[in-house]
């Protein structure tokens, strides 16, 4: 088994912008280092807006304010944007000398002086730097991405750009920074987030070559990276400033560069975010006059509005629709992660760890779908069968601390299950020895080593999390990357048990390390109390609300007094091989917990672990 965490941030953030922007990244030189001229920019901007199969690509992200081949003249993308009515996310190049940065400021001031009023409504914002924090990280240094900038230098230059804008017609335009999610979740870089008006995140699953990064996992890796950034953004809007999948080039671990995979990634990522989040795809064209390796361009060596692969989005959130013009368009929101399809499971992977690099370049110009699963079984029909089964099982030990005490408990019981298709399960639990049926006595209590309370062995991950709120009973929160429980909110976790688990034994576990042990996650905890875990009669879907959620089948266990620094085994038994099973986690007392589920050290959240040594009797159908 491998892990997957598909939870999104529960909060939608809004902006005063009247439009959600989408476009491509545009460099200042071609692959032969020839400067991109005003006419070249105009040709590229016009090609982007006329691409067959899509529309709405009327924005551009730049890496530098300086026209290539000059010292401090402003980029010719400025007059090209005016001529083509293209919105611009301007860029200030860092990771260089103070003199070079001052040249960037000179170009910025000159552009404002000549085109300030003309472009006042076309400037989206200004990005100060691109992946500078990543470049000086251990990962960036290992990948030879130097030079970089530390957080203090980035903050200083963000403030310098804001000062340059003060008192001009571009005053008030948002100024932010672009980097990888691994840079943002590093607490030592938090000052950059605080200084920024927006956060730009670059994510390339293709380059995450220390983890399972095949195209089947591409979308999930991306959404993990995006939502990890949102989780630490402090309420700042998070924009997608670079992502894409190469059309050609070498394999990167499991990632294969191909037209088919680039199309898949476009469908599973692009089509879900276009018109929803400010997005700048990498890239329109990067293969003129020479083709780099890898190459990400949606058009080839010849600039043409006929793309290399189909850019239509079908029934997804498509770029073929005009971006929202609501006065409160969502710029950073609960990302629609790959949803589940009938007869299958969403493909995804754990959050990126060691190589969440961006393109690493210098800025040359260069899911599942289908009908949702019904959360409630269909009504019984005349031919419905009633199944009565018995089993004896011993749960794995549950160890937790409460005050000064360390408590360990396990339970041996006989479980009688009556199941009628289409109705709620009826479950009766009686002590071993006093029940009837085929239960044949208690199994020996397993040792803790036979019931893992960590992720050192085989484990399963939730494929969907949906919070439901009884204070807003008809509101669907959608998919989430966070587990959220409070006196009014509970979270439903869907698990897809592989058919290969037939005959094996599983535990439902909740891992809750101390906050200082976390490396790529975080949580907030207040109040007192614990957690209650219930198995539902059917799985949740993205549209699940408090009022339409599946009914409770059985309460499987609880944590009476939740304390950081503990791992809890909630319940154990035969694995539900080949089934999709949902568990609802609710708070008891005044407990209020919001955490980013993550398998990286230290793991946190709800998982299914597998083990072999439980001596269970005649069925693996139900847990006590």
């Amino acid at each position: 088994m491998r892990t997957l965490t598909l939870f999104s941030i529960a909060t939608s953030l809004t902006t005063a912008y009247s439009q959600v922007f989408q476009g491509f990244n545009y460099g200042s030189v071609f692959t032969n280092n020839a400067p991109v001229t005003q006419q070249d920019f105009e040709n590229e901007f016009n090609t982007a807006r006329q691409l067959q199969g899509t529309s709405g690509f009327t924005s551009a992200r730049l890496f530098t304010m300086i026209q290539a081949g000059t010292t401090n003249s402003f980029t010719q993308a400025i007059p090209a944007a005016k001529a083509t009515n293209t919105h611009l996310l301007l860029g200030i190049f860092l990771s260089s000398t103070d003199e070079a940065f001052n040249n960037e400021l000179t170009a910025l001031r000159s552009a404002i002086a000549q085109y300030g009023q003309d472009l006042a409504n076309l400037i989206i914002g200004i990005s100060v730097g691109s992946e500078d924090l990543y470049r000086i990280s251990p990962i960036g240094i290992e990948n030879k991405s130097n030079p970089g900038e530390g957080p203090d230098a980035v903050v200083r230059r963000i403030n310098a750009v804001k000062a340059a804008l003060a008192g001009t017609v571009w005053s008030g335009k948002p100024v932010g920074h672009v980097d990888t999610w691994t840079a943002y979740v590093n607490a030592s870089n938090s000052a950059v987030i605080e200084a920024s008006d927006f956060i730009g995140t670059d994510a390339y699953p293709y380059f995450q070559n220390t983890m399972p990064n095949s195209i089947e996992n591409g979308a999930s890796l991306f959404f993990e990276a995006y939502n990890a950034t949102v989780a630490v953004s402090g309420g700042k809007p998070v924009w997608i400033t670079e992502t894409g999948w190469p059309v050609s080039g070498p394999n990167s671990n499991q990632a294969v560069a191909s037209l088919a995979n680039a199309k898949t990634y476009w469908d599973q990522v692009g089509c879900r975010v276009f018109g929803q989040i400010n997005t700048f795809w990498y890239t329109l064209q990067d293969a003129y006059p020479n083709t780099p390796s890898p190459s990400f361009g949606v058009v080839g060596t010849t600039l043409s509005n006929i793309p290399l692969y189909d850019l239509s989005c079908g029934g997804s959130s498509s770029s073929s629709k005009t971006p929202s013009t609501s006065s409160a368009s969502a710029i950073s929101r609960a990302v629609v992660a790959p949803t589940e399809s009938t007869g299958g499971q969403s493909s995804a992977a754990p959050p990126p760890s060691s190589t969440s690099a961006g393109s690493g370049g210098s800025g040359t110009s260069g899911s599942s779908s289908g009908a949702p699963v019904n959360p409630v079984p269909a009504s019984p029909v005349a031919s419905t069968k009633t199944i009565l089964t018995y089993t004896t099982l011993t749960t794995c030990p549950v160890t937790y601390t409460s005050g000064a005490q360390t408590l360990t408990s396990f339970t041996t019981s006989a479980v009688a299950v009556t199941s009628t298709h289409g109705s709620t399960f009826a479950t009766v639990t009686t002590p071993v020895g006093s029940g009837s049926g085929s239960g044949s006595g208690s199994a020996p209590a397993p040792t803790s080593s036979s019931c893992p309370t960590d992720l050192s062995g085989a484990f399963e991950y939730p494929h969907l999390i949906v919070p439901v709120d009884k204070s807003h009973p008809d509101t669907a929160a959608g998919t989430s990357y966070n587990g959220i429980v409070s006196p009014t909110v509970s979270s439903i976790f869907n698990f897809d048990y592989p058919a290969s688990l037939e005959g094996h034994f599983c535990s439902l576990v909740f891992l809750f390390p101390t906050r200082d042990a976390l490396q790529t996650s975080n949580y907030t905890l207040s109040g007192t109390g614990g957690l209650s875990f219930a198995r539902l009669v059917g799985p949740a879907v993205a549209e699940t609300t408090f009022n339409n959620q599946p009914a409770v089948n059985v309460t499987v266990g609880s944590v009476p007094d939740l304390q950081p620094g503990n791992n809890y085994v909630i319940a154990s038994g035969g694995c539900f091989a080949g089934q999709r099973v949902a568990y609802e986690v609710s708070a008891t007392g005044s407990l209020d917990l919001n955490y980013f589920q993550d398998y990286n050290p230290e793991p946190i959240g709800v998982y299914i672990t597998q083990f072999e040594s439980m001596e269970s009797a005649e069925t693996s159908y139900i847990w006590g």
Side-chain angles (χ1 to χ4, degrees):
M1 288 183 285
R2 59 186 176 82
T3 187
L4 166 66
T5 54
L6 271 186
F7 316 98
S8 69
I9 305 306
T11 306
S12 284
L13 305 175
T14 59
T15 180
Y17 281 125
S18 60
Q19 184 175 355
V20 178
F21 301 98
Q22 68 188 49
F24 293 99
N25 286 266
Y26 296 87
S28 61
V29 297
F30 293 110
T31 54
N32 62 353
N33 286 322
V36 181
T37 67
Q38 177 179 342
Q39 188 59 58
D40 294 326
F41 278 120
E42 289 186 24
N43 293 341
E44 291 176 341
F45 295 166
N46 284 326
T47 297
R49 68 176 64 234
Q50 296 167 8
L51 283 169
Q52 291 186 5
T54 188
S55 65
F57 283 87
T58 58
S59 302
R61 179 201 169 208
L62 307 178
F63 293 87
T64 177
M65 281 300 304
I66 298 174
Q67 175 63 22
T70 73
T71 300
N72 53 24
S73 298
F74 59 78
T75 171
Q76 290 302 292
I78 297 285
K82 178 186 176 183
T84 58
N85 198 38
T86 297
H87 290 88
L88 294 178
L89 175 57
L90 299 174
I92 300 286
F93 184 74
L94 298 187
S95 297
S96 189
T97 63
D98 287 339
E99 179 183 2
F101 175 69
N102 289 333
N103 287 334
E104 292 277 350
L105 290 182
T106 297
L108 174 64
R109 294 187 182 102
S110 298
I112 296 173
Q114 186 168 345
Y115 286 97
Q117 191 61 55
D118 292 338
L119 293 185
N121 294 325
L122 292 177
I123 301 301
I124 302 169
I126 302 176
S127 167
V128 182
S130 181
E131 300 183 5
D132 306 275
L133 302 173
Y134 158 77
R135 294 176 194 277
I136 64 165
S137 70
I139 304 170
I141 294 171
E142 179 182 348
N143 290 331
K144 300 179 180 179
S145 300
N146 281 341
E149 293 277 14
D152 292 343
V154 174
V155 168
R156 185 172 66 253
R157 289 173 173 174
I158 287 174
N159 291 334
V161 171
K162 290 182 178 181
L165 298 181
T168 73
V169 292
W170 291 1
S171 178
K173 295 295 182 181
V175 178
H177 177 67
V178 169
D179 229 300
T180 63
W181 81 273
T182 51
Y184 289 124
V185 300
N186 186 333
S188 66
N189 295 325
S190 60
V192 174
I193 295 175
E194 295 171 5
S196 297
D197 300 322
F198 70 90
I199 307 300
T201 188
D202 295 352
Y204 289 91
Y206 170 82
F207 289 119
Q208 293 174 221
N209 54 20
T210 64
M211 15 178 3
N213 67 333
S214 66
I215 189 59
E216 290 77 13
N217 295 335
S220 301
L221 284 170
F222 169 80
F223 286 114
E224 292 284 357
Y226 177 82
N227 285 283
T229 306
V230 175
V232 298
S233 66
K236 305 291 180 69
V238 178
W239 301 348
I240 301 165
T241 40
E242 286 183 46
T243 195
W245 194 277
V247 298
S248 64
N251 291 351
S252 177
N253 189 28
Q254 298 174 359
V256 177
S258 70
L259 291 173
N261 287 347
K263 164 61 176 172
T264 296
Y265 192 76
W266 178 276
D267 289 346
Q268 294 184 353
V269 175
C271 293
R272 295 180 186 274
V273 299
F274 295 148
Q276 306 296 316
I277 302 168
N278 282 357
T279 301
F280 300 90
W281 202 259
Y282 194 87
T283 189
L284 175 68
Q285 183 189 44
D286 64 357
Y288 178 80
N290 308 310
T291 302
S293 181
S295 174
F296 287 77
V298 301
V299 301
T301 301
T302 300
L303 189 64
S304 168
N305 68 338
I306 302 175
L308 295 175
Y309 54 89
D310 181 13
L311 301 183
S312 62
C313 286
S316 303
S317 175
S318 172
S319 60
S320 63
K321 300 178 181 179
T322 302
S324 169
T325 55
S326 164
S327 61
S329 303
I331 296 299
S332 172
R333 62 175 66 207
V335 173
V336 182
T339 55
E340 302 178 19
S341 349
T342 305
Q345 65 187 43
S346 59
S347 61
S353 53
S354 62
T355 51
S356 180
S359 61
S362 58
T364 56
S365 185
S367 97
S368 335
S369 60
V373 179
N374 190 336
V376 181
S379 300
V381 293
S383 60
T384 292
K385 295 181 179 179
T386 298
I387 304 170
L388 180 64
T389 60
Y390 293 88
T391 185
T392 57
L393 60 84
T394 302
T395 65
C396 292
V398 177
T399 303
Y400 54 92
T401 58
S402 179
Q405 293 182 301
T406 298
L407 307 176
T408 301
S409 65
F410 51 83
T411 305
T412 302
S413 59
V415 182
V417 182
T418 302
S419 172
T420 302
H421 176 68
S423 66
T424 301
F425 292 115
T427 302
V428 178
T429 302
T430 57
V432 170
S434 63
S436 58
S438 58
S440 57
S442 67
T447 64
S448 59
S449 62
S450 67
C451 301
T453 56
D454 56 32
L455 302 187
S456 58
F459 62 95
E460 278 292 334
Y461 44 79
H463 285 186
L464 183 74
I465 287 185
V466 177
V468 294
D469 187 347
K470 67 181 179 182
S471 64
H472 301 282
D474 295 312
T475 298
T479 58
S480 176
Y481 283 135
N482 279 31
I484 306 168
V485 293
S486 74
T488 62
V489 178
S490 58
S491 289
I492 301 173
F493 297 75
N494 281 5
F495 287 90
D496 290 292
Y497 289 77
S500 60
L501 292 181
E502 184 70 38
H504 294 273
F505 303 99
C506 293
S507 290
L508 176 70
V509 302
F510 184 74
L511 311 182
F512 195 50
T514 58
R515 191 180 287 106
D516 59 5
L518 298 172
Q519 295 184 23
T520 58
S521 184
N522 204 350
Y523 62 81
T524 59
L525 175 66
S526 62
T528 59
L531 300 174
S532 177
F533 295 77
R535 190 172 65 256
L536 306 182
V537 298
V541 294
E543 296 77 19
T544 296
T545 68
F546 179 83
N547 276 345
N548 69 16
Q549 66 181 308
V552 170
N553 174 6
V554 61
T555 298
V556 296
S558 65
V559 177
D561 180 21
L562 182 68
Q563 296 292 333
N566 287 280
N567 293 342
Y568 305 91
V569 178
I570 307 304
S572 303
C575 302
F576 293 94
Q579 299 183 49
R580 176 171 294 161
V581 179
Y583 297 93
E584 183 173 18
V585 183
S586 305
T588 62
S590 61
L591 187 81
D592 192 324
L593 172 65
N594 186 329
Y595 71 90
F596 178 70
Q597 173 121 359
D598 190 0
Y599 95 115
N600 285 301
E602 286 286 327
I604 182 172
V606 183
Y607 298 92
I608 298 294
T609 59
Q610 178 190 338
F611 59 97
E612 307 297 333
S613 62
M614 173 180 281
E615 301 210 6
S616 184
E618 300 157 9
T619 181
S620 61
Y621 183 63
I622 194 73
W623 292 359

